[in-house]
Amino acid sequence: MENEEEKVYVVIGRDLYDGLSTLQWALNKWSNHSISIVILQAANNISKDYVYTPLGKLPASSVNEEKLKDLDKSEEVNNDKILSQFIASCGRIKAQVFKMEKSEQPIYKQLLEIISSRWITKLVVSLTVMKSSAWKSRTAISGSFYVLRQKPDFCELFVICGGRLLSLREENKGGFIEDDRGNAVSKFTEKNSFRSLLGRRHSPDSPSSSSRSNNSPDEWEKYSDGIEQYVNQLLALNEEEEEEEEEEEEEEEEEDANCKENSADSVMQENMSGAERIEALKIKIQRVEDAIQFNRKEANVNKERNAKALGAISLCNTRAMELEACISEEVLKNVDIKKELDFRKDELFELQGEVGEKRSKLNSILELQRELKNKLQLSSSAKSRAEVQLEKAVRTRNDMVREIEELRGQRDVIQRRIEFRREKDAIGCADRLNTSSFAYREFTAAEIRAATKDFSEGLRLKPRGRLTNVYKGCINHMTVAIKMYGSANAPSPEAFAAKVKILSQIRHPNILAMVGFCSELNCIVFEYMHNGCLHDALFLTGKSSSDYKNKALNWHTRLRIAAEVCSALGFLHEAQPKPLIHGNLSPSKIILDCNNVAKVFGLKPPWPYDNSDSKSDIRAFGNLMLQLLIGRNWAATMEIAAILGNLDHLAGEWPLDLAMELCTIAIRCLSNNQGEDEELDIGWLMREINKVKKKANQLVANGEYTSAIEGFIDIDDSSNVPSAFLCPIYQDVMQNPHLAADGFSYELDAIDMWLRTGHDTSPMTNLRLNHTLLTPNHTLRSLIQDWQNRRSAPPK
């Protein structure tokens, strides 16, 4: 549905030029809008007491009715022609005409009624219409302001004069009209009373009242009302005279406009009869007499006015004198006020200076506030970024915690596999060394010399920094330890044979196995233990020793070693057909393989079992447990609290309940005297130690206490050791690296033990090896030696 055209109401009069200019302004104003024009033609409300005839302006009563009808009809025809020209000027714009009816009300009141009844939103009014309808320019201007004040808010009023938009501006007691160029067109003021013109009377409290005479206030009060009435009459007469002048000007304009018609009527007057001429002369004479009578009355009125004016002038002169006295007093007051004003100006100047200082301080404070605001915004943004980074860090931490939990679970599985592998390798090694008849091999002197490189000092084992008669050797790609019995401590051939026989019959995972012997050189060949004796691991840890790895055994490994030693003692004490004793149990008689599996050696003859000797083994085992707990020899009080207060911190965080149980078992073993504790035997000791071991394994599996998989706790910071220098199996710096078929370099003893235990796969890739040949890696060995020399060199 198309939008309904907006109606614009244009109020015009009977003046063709003025109406066309007003209508053209409205068309230009809304040329880009969809509108329709409604032409409101104002009715002529001028009094019809007089009519224009060929004889001039005559009273309507002196003209017959037929002549009046002809004049009205001629006026109606001219009006229709004007309206047709107005509609034609609209062009394509839809236009319609609405004639306003004659009314006794002024046109501005009629316009207000039409605005409300027709709901007019846009009204264009010609100022000429307001003026011509009222015959008074003052009434036309005030009527325009009246419409402006009284119109509804939904109506827009546009006042046009000569095709230009006028601006109506109100003042306190009047208003003025300007055109679109800012030129003042007209101005009017409301009527002021005589009191407002002359000023109100001074109150009795005013300073000027003292200068008046006693009679002047009463006289002024007596005649002031009359003077005010007189002035109002003068103002009213002045307005009437102005209105008459305006009417005469309008009449002259109409006479000029109808000059052609008058000339035509003058021709008709020459053709009038004598009676008609006499009648016309009588009318003129009557008019002259009326004018004379009017002038006489006006003269009398002027005489009265003159008398009143003289009285008013006298009173005004008196009032002027009083006002002059008041002015003199006010002048004196103004001098004092001026001095006060100067003083106030000085104060104001000082205040302005202070205000300037305060303003500068305020500006600096505002600048500081802006800087702080910017810093706050920067800190807020930095805080937001930090919060985002914190959230990322929290998420990363949670992911790392999950990964740690997963790795911990994998570590526990690997640790259990390692424990299982340790026991399996130990049992397998013992089984491979053992035969159904406990056979052993006798080596020749040449084989022994070849294995030890003719007893090279570089292969002599030096535990605790002292020389021994034990050499490291290699027989049939197997690393062995060869113990020589020199001439000083050489046993008799019978004792040597008995020792070899009994050692060849002992096969246990935690007892050092004999591989063979050489009766020619009087030596016995044992399996090689890579991690040395327990004494060095406990008492030389952290000390400068070139022969020992600077690592400490953790608490879980120490507890396992105790269980393994207890198992070895149990095997000896329960051996069949005759039990055996060790008789010399100490940390130096316990050695550790590459997996830190403990193996006992150095049995003291005579080997047959004796009850008192078994008690000595149990007491020695109790002392061993204290050394494992404390990390040194203990000769102080046997109180549990004292022992727990001196636990070896190098072993890590001991579980106190397990440490307390071990202390209890150790103290009971040390207090074991013959015959006093019949319950205490090797069977009971093995059960108690296994219980503690089971609890420890459960704690480590649950993650309550961590334990290094290798069984060591690093004391020195080895983070700067190149990874290529570490043996993949031992996880220690290699001394004799050899290259295997899988492309990795290993310590010779480690890879040799790996292959001898039946493995045919790579320790690193778990893939089958193409061959079992090992090639010395001299380049890597040189690099390791150079690195060790630079590390051991003293700082400059």
Side-chain angles (χ1 to χ4, degrees):
M1 180 181 293
E2 296 182 357
N3 295 331
E4 185 178 357
E5 296 177 347
E6 188 175 9
K7 291 183 179 182
V8 179
Y9 288 78
V10 182
V11 183
I12 57 180
R14 299 177 185 273
D15 189 344
L16 179 60
Y17 174 76
D18 183 70
L20 291 175
S21 61
T22 302
L23 191 59
Q24 189 62 39
W25 182 90
L27 294 174
N28 294 334
K29 172 69 175 177
W30 289 281
S31 59
N32 297 327
H33 298 76
S34 177
I35 63 171
S36 63
I37 300 296
V38 179
I39 300 174
L40 294 177
Q41 189 178 33
N44 189 0
N45 293 334
I46 301 177
S47 174
K48 292 298 183 177
D49 294 337
Y50 298 92
V51 294
Y52 291 94
T53 65
L55 298 178
K57 182 178 178 182
L58 298 177
S61 59
S62 62
V63 182
N64 56 24
E65 295 181 0
E66 293 181 0
K67 187 64 175 178
L68 290 176
K69 290 180 180 180
D70 293 338
L71 292 174
D72 291 339
K73 187 175 181 180
S74 176
E75 184 180 359
E76 188 69 24
V77 171
N78 292 333
N79 187 32
D80 292 340
K81 291 180 181 179
I82 293 173
L83 289 176
S84 62
Q85 293 183 19
F86 287 160
I87 294 175
S89 65
C90 294
R92 297 181 180 180
I93 303 299
K94 183 179 179 181
Q96 56 182 337
V97 179
F98 177 77
K99 294 182 179 181
M100 298 174 60
E101 298 179 356
K102 294 182 180 180
S103 175
E104 296 180 357
Q105 291 183 348
I107 189 171
Y108 51 83
K109 292 187 177 181
Q110 296 182 47
L111 289 177
L112 291 176
E113 294 178 357
I114 295 174
I115 290 173
S116 300
S117 61
R118 288 181 169 265
W119 198 263
I120 297 175
T121 58
K122 290 180 175 56
L123 180 64
V124 181
V125 182
S126 172
L127 184 63
T128 306
V129 174
M130 304 288 288
K131 183 177 179 181
S132 62
S133 62
W135 289 105
K136 301 175 184 178
S137 60
R138 183 180 301 275
T139 306
I141 297 171
S142 62
S144 301
F145 278 96
Y146 181 81
V147 175
L148 180 64
R149 296 191 190 107
Q150 301 297 327
K151 71 178 181 64
D153 294 337
F154 60 81
C155 179
E156 295 183 70
L157 177 64
F158 304 91
V159 180
I160 308 299
C161 181
R164 293 181 179 179
L165 177 64
L166 301 182
S167 299
L168 279 69
R169 298 186 180 180
E170 293 183 296
E171 293 180 343
N172 294 331
K173 294 185 178 181
F176 62 93
I177 300 177
E178 293 180 349
D179 58 8
D180 54 359
R181 297 180 181 177
N183 299 323
V185 176
S186 180
K187 182 178 181 181
F188 85 100
T189 56
E190 296 179 357
K191 294 180 181 180
N192 295 321
S193 64
F194 175 73
R195 295 180 185 274
S196 63
L197 293 174
L198 300 180
R200 296 188 177 275
R201 300 187 302 271
H202 288 276
S203 62
D205 298 332
S206 62
S208 61
S209 62
S210 60
S211 62
R212 301 178 187 170
S213 61
N214 295 330
N215 297 328
S216 60
D218 297 336
E219 185 178 359
W220 182 257
E221 290 290 341
K222 180 178 179 181
Y223 295 103
S224 62
D225 294 336
I227 293 174
E228 182 176 1
Q229 184 178 4
Y230 171 70
V231 171
N232 290 335
Q233 290 178 359
L234 290 178
L235 293 175
L237 291 174
N238 188 23
E239 290 182 357
E240 290 178 0
E241 291 175 358
E242 290 179 356
E243 291 175 359
E244 289 178 359
E245 290 176 358
E246 292 176 357
E247 290 177 0
E248 289 177 359
E249 291 176 359
E250 294 294 336
E251 289 176 359
E252 289 176 359
E253 292 177 358
E254 290 184 2
E255 287 176 359
D256 292 338
N258 298 328
C259 61
K260 293 182 180 181
E261 293 182 2
N262 291 337
S263 61
D265 291 339
S266 63
V267 175
M268 292 176 62
Q269 185 178 4
E270 293 178 357
N271 297 327
M272 292 175 62
S273 61
E276 291 178 350
R277 290 182 179 179
I278 293 171
E279 185 66 26
L281 291 175
K282 288 180 178 181
I283 293 171
K284 289 182 178 182
I285 292 170
Q286 183 65 37
R287 287 170 57 191
V288 171
E289 291 177 352
D290 293 339
I292 292 171
Q293 186 67 26
F294 176 76
N295 290 333
R296 287 177 178 175
K297 292 180 180 179
E298 187 174 0
N300 295 329
V301 172
N302 289 334
K303 185 177 181 181
E304 294 177 358
R305 291 179 184 175
N306 188 19
K308 292 180 179 179
L310 292 175
I313 289 171
S314 176
L315 292 176
C316 289
N317 289 332
T318 304
R319 179 62 173 168
M321 294 175 63
E322 294 177 358
L323 293 177
E324 287 178 357
C326 293
I327 290 171
S328 299
E329 293 179 1
E330 294 296 333
V331 169
L332 296 176
K333 288 183 180 180
N334 288 338
V335 173
D336 297 335
I337 292 174
K338 186 177 180 181
K339 293 180 180 179
E340 182 69 20
L341 181 60
D342 294 337
F343 177 73
R344 296 299 181 188
K345 285 182 178 179
D346 295 337
E347 290 184 350
L348 180 61
F349 182 74
E350 295 178 357
L351 291 175
Q352 288 178 349
E354 294 180 359
V355 169
E357 294 178 358
K358 298 295 183 181
R359 184 177 288 109
S360 61
K361 291 182 180 179
L362 180 60
N363 291 333
S364 61
I365 292 173
L366 292 176
E367 184 66 24
L368 179 60
Q369 183 181 4
R370 285 193 293 270
E371 293 179 0
L372 293 176
K373 185 177 181 180
N374 294 332
K375 291 182 180 179
L376 179 61
Q377 292 177 353
L378 293 176
S379 62
S380 300
S381 60
K383 179 182 178 182
S384 301
R385 291 193 296 270
E387 290 177 352
V388 173
Q389 294 177 358
L390 179 61
E391 292 178 0
K392 292 182 180 179
V394 170
R395 290 195 296 269
T396 304
R397 179 183 177 278
N398 294 333
D399 295 339
M400 293 179 64
V401 169
R402 287 194 295 271
E403 292 179 1
I404 289 173
E405 293 297 331
E406 294 177 358
L407 293 175
R408 183 174 293 171
Q410 296 176 3
R411 180 204 64 190
D412 296 339
V413 174
I414 293 174
Q415 184 172 359
R416 288 193 292 271
R417 289 180 179 177
I418 289 175
E419 293 292 336
F420 174 76
R421 178 59 63 185
R422 284 172 178 169
E423 296 179 359
K424 183 177 180 181
D425 290 347
I427 295 173
C429 182
D431 291 341
R432 283 190 298 273
L433 293 175
N434 189 16
T435 60
S436 59
S437 61
F438 296 106
Y440 51 90
R441 178 182 175 185
E442 184 175 358
F443 297 99
T444 64
E447 290 176 330
I448 298 298
R449 289 190 177 93
T452 61
K453 296 181 181 181
D454 200 10
F455 301 105
S456 172
E457 286 296 323
L459 296 179
R460 185 191 292 267
L461 299 182
K462 303 173 183 179
R464 291 176 287 179
R466 60 180 179 84
L467 295 177
T468 63
N469 57 354
V470 180
Y471 294 86
K472 180 180 179 181
C474 182
I475 299 177
N476 295 331
H477 302 288
M478 180 177 65
T479 303
V480 295
I482 302 172
K483 183 176 182 179
M484 304 295 299
Y485 292 93
S487 58
N489 59 351
S492 61
E494 294 78 9
F496 181 78
K499 186 173 185 176
V500 168
K501 181 178 180 181
I502 194 169
L503 290 177
S504 65
Q505 294 176 351
I506 298 175
R507 289 293 183 267
H508 187 270
N510 300 117
I511 297 178
L512 186 65
M514 185 188 73
V515 179
F517 70 99
C518 178
S519 57
E520 183 179 356
L521 296 177
N522 205 16
C523 65
I524 299 177
V525 180
F526 296 94
E527 60 177 330
Y528 180 75
M529 309 300 289
H530 296 78
N531 285 336
C533 66
L534 180 61
H535 181 277
D536 294 344
L538 288 178
F539 303 143
L540 298 182
T541 300
K543 299 180 180 179
S544 58
S545 175
S546 59
D547 296 332
Y548 181 71
K549 308 178 185 70
N550 207 17
K551 296 181 180 181
L553 298 172
N554 61 49
W555 65 269
H556 185 249
T557 302
R558 298 187 186 194
L559 197 152
R560 179 177 54 78
I561 290 173
E564 291 170 349
V565 172
C566 184
S567 176
L569 290 179
F571 172 80
L572 293 176
H573 287 194
E574 296 177 354
Q576 296 294 332
K578 291 183 179 180
L580 300 174
I581 61 171
H582 187 282
N584 193 21
L585 184 63
S586 66
S588 61
K589 300 301 181 181
I590 300 171
I591 54 179
L592 307 174
D593 66 0
C594 59
N595 295 320
N596 283 330
V597 175
K599 296 194 177 186
V600 180
F601 76 100
L603 278 70
K604 180 181 178 180
W607 291 306
Y609 180 83
D610 183 77
N611 188 36
S612 60
D613 292 334
S614 66
K615 298 292 184 180
S616 65
D617 280 351
I618 293 176
R619 285 193 296 271
F621 180 76
N623 187 51
L624 175 65
M625 284 196 295
L626 289 180
Q627 292 172 336
L628 289 171
L629 286 169
I630 301 174
R632 63 182 185 275
N633 292 323
W634 181 256
T637 177
M638 289 291 107
E639 294 181 0
I640 296 177
I643 297 173
L644 294 179
N646 289 275
L647 293 176
D648 190 1
H649 67 278
L650 297 179
E653 183 182 358
W654 281 88
L656 292 180
D657 54 345
L658 298 183
M660 186 179 297
E661 293 184 17
L662 290 178
C663 287
T664 303
I665 296 172
I667 291 173
R668 188 171 180 182
C669 291
L670 290 172
S671 61
N672 177 33
N673 293 324
Q674 184 175 4
E676 292 182 0
D677 195 349
E678 297 180 356
E679 266 185 27
L680 183 59
D681 58 4
I682 195 62
W684 173 87
L685 185 59
M686 291 175 63
R687 288 192 297 273
E688 294 299 321
I689 292 297
N690 287 330
K691 288 179 183 179
V692 178
K693 180 185 176 184
K694 186 176 181 181
K695 292 180 181 179
N697 293 337
Q698 188 65 32
L699 289 176
V700 174
N702 294 337
E704 299 180 19
Y705 286 86
T706 57
S707 175
I709 295 177
E710 295 84 4
F712 289 116
I713 295 178
D714 291 339
I715 297 176
D716 290 344
D717 183 12
S718 60
S719 59
N720 57 350
V721 178
S723 59
F725 294 176
L726 299 177
C727 175
I729 298 176
Y730 284 170
Q731 289 298 313
D732 195 11
V733 179
M734 292 181 286
Q735 301 297 329
N736 189 14
H738 277 63
L739 189 65
D742 58 357
F744 291 92
S745 294
Y746 303 88
E747 182 68 29
L748 178 60
D749 294 342
I751 191 63
D752 182 64
M753 178 65 69
W754 175 267
L755 296 175
R756 283 194 302 104
T757 53
H759 296 91
D760 57 354
T761 58
S762 169
M764 297 295 292
T765 64
N766 203 25
L767 299 176
R768 185 177 297 276
L769 297 173
N770 296 330
H771 56 81
T772 58
L773 298 178
L774 301 174
T775 304
N777 194 339
H778 298 292
T779 302
L780 181 59
R781 183 175 182 178
S782 299
L783 292 174
I784 293 173
Q785 289 177 352
D786 293 341
W787 174 78
Q788 288 177 338
N789 293 334
R790 290 194 302 272
R791 189 179 183 187
S792 60
K796 295 181 180 180

